[in-house]
Every structure is written in structure tokens, then in C-alpha cells.
Amino acid sequence: DVKVTQSSRYLVKRTGEKVFLECVQDMDHENMFWYRQDPGLGLRLIYFSYDVKMKEKGDIPEGYSVSREKKERFSLILESASTNQTSMYLCASRDRFLEQYFGPGTRLTVT
Amino acid sequence: GNSVTQMEGPVTLSEEAFLTINCTYTATGYPSLFWYVQYPGEGLQLLLKATKADDKGSNKGFEATYRKETTSFHLEKGSVQVSDSAVYFCALSDDGANNLFFGTGTRLTVIP
């Protein structure tokens, strides 16, 4: 079974803090994704990566950056957290049949 | 462009009732279509998929048929159970795109 893990299930940070969300997959997938999930908006793509050190902006990249130094790990960085970044963050990796496998999510609260 | 429109919820049904959640799409190419399910407190799991017109995806009693003529991929189940209570997302993956395009999700609650 494909497994995608995320470093934290719940996180509380203060405004202005730098926040790291980590995601690890164990199936050697090349493509990995970060989404945020908000009520009534569904999932929105923040960034994706199609290879080590390669990244592409998604629909809502502002205020975020990413890092992919190893194939299995894809990190989402909030350079200076703000209250409007309070959300559920979901990581996914994708196989060659276009199926995405999701982690359990990190619920981030910025106060 | 690519987009997915799905029926707004929430949907509340009694156990053993018939379920339909509507999903329509627009796409520039020849998309693959997916239904994902999110149980409380968990990430999304693939429920079923269809990769070409007239394909039927099925899993756990759920079915959806890829209808190109109506650009639809409606989710159905003949008899829902309390354990089906979750949020359901319709999604498409265009062959030219790297990511999935999701609908806004439909929350289903099944009461005993």
C-alpha cells in the first residue's frame, strides 16, 4: 500500500512565525502536491513538484514556498504565517495512472 | 479551462436509501474522472475512477459512469449505510495537466 505521511496532524502557530509542513511518500512517485482545503472551496492546489528540486506554482501560491531535496519528501513552508492561512493542508503523491494518494492532513491554526 | 461542479450539500439520508451526488465537468482535453471520499478526521481516499467515455467505475457499492455527451460523472449507491457518512469529492485530471481539479465536496450524513 502507498503511504503518505505528514509530520503533524494539528499545529498551532503565531502570526509571523515561519512554519514547515513535511510530507513523505514511500512509493517512489515523481509527482507530489500540496493542497489546502477550506469549507465551501474544496481543495485548492498550492504547489506541486514533478521531480527533485523541481516545482511549479499552483492556483494559490502566494505566501507559500516549497522544497523538494529528496524524491520522497516534499515540504511546504509558510514564510510568515498569517491568520488567513489557517486551514487544513493536504499532501499527495501521484502514480503514473494519475491516481493521487493523500496524507491524513495537517490542521494548522494561526493565532 | 478545466473545472468541476458538484452538487452542494449537505445531504442527509436514512440508512438503505438511494444516493445520487451529481457532478459535471468542463475540460479542454480528454480527462480522467475520479471520486474521492474523505471520512471524518482523515485525508482523501480514491473511491473510484473512469478514464474514458462510457467507462463505469465502481467500488464498495458505489458506481459512476463517464458520460461524455452530458459531461457528467454522477455518483450513485443503491443502499447507503451509516458508515458511508463522509465528504465526497469529484475530480478530473486532464491529460495535459499534472494536477487534479476538484469540486467543492458534498457532505453526506446517513442516519440509522
Side-chain angles (χ1 to χ4, degrees):
Chain A
D1 275 355
V2 175
K3 194 164 185 183
V4 179
T5 56
Q6 295 184 227
S7 49
S8 306
R9 293 299 299 271
Y10 300 94
L11 211 50
V12 180
K13 295 292 182 181
R14 293 189 183 278
T15 301
E17 280 193 81
K18 191 168 187 176
V19 182
F20 293 86
L21 303 182
E22 300 236 314
C23 174
V24 178
Q25 51 96 2
D26 66 358
M27 282 301 290
D28 203 37
H29 290 163
E30 293 181 346
N31 291 276
M32 296 186 73
F33 304 81
W34 275 106
Y35 296 90
R36 63 177 283 176
Q37 181 182 7
D38 299 288
L41 297 177
L43 276 72
R44 293 178 291 167
L45 182 66
I46 304 171
Y47 269 97
F48 69 94
S49 169
Y50 51 91
D51 203 348
V52 174
K53 296 191 186 295
M54 307 304 285
K55 60 186 179 184
E56 291 276 349
K57 293 180 180 179
D59 300 320
I60 51 165
E62 295 78 19
Y64 303 94
S65 62
V66 290
S67 172
R68 183 115 182 255
E69 297 296 319
K70 293 185 178 181
K71 193 173 188 179
E72 67 270 19
R73 189 179 298 269
F74 190 35
S75 301
L76 180 69
I77 303 154
L78 287 65
E79 297 290 344
S80 177
S82 63
T83 54
N84 62 13
Q85 293 178 309
T86 291
S87 187
M88 170 72 89
Y89 290 88
L90 293 168
C91 174
S93 70
R94 195 191 76 184
D95 66 17
R96 62 190 181 95
F97 301 108
L98 305 182
E99 181 176 339
Q100 292 198 12
Y101 300 83
F102 285 82
T106 296
R107 186 166 294 282
L108 172 67
T109 302
V110 182
T111 62
Chain B
N2 298 307
S3 68
V4 174
T5 302
Q6 67 180 99
M7 153 184 180
E8 287 193 25
V11 174
T12 303
L13 294 173
S14 297
E15 207 164 22
E16 300 184 2
F18 184 85
L19 168 71
T20 300
I21 300 178
N22 290 337
C23 172
T24 57
Y25 68 89
T26 58
T28 52
Y30 300 93
S32 295
L33 301 172
F34 304 82
W35 276 101
Y36 279 82
V37 59
Q38 185 179 33
Y39 298 105
E42 299 184 13
L44 276 69
Q45 304 173 22
L46 180 67
L47 181 59
L48 52 85
K49 68 178 181 181
T51 57
K52 61 182 188 297
D54 299 325
D55 268 3
K56 178 186 279 188
S58 61
N59 186 26
K60 299 182 180 180
F62 291 88
E63 292 183 341
T65 301
Y66 187 161
R67 303 276 189 209
K68 191 175 178 184
E69 64 277 11
T70 54
T71 62
S72 66
F73 192 54
H74 304 322
L75 182 69
E76 296 182 337
K77 187 174 185 183
S79 175
V80 293
Q81 305 301 311
V82 172
S83 57
D84 294 327
S85 297
V87 181
Y88 293 82
F89 292 91
C90 185
L92 74 82
S93 181
D94 197 323
D95 57 3
N98 275 308
N99 56 298
L100 287 172
F101 297 87
F102 284 89
T104 54
T106 302
R107 181 176 297 279
L108 169 67
T109 302
V110 180
I111 55 177

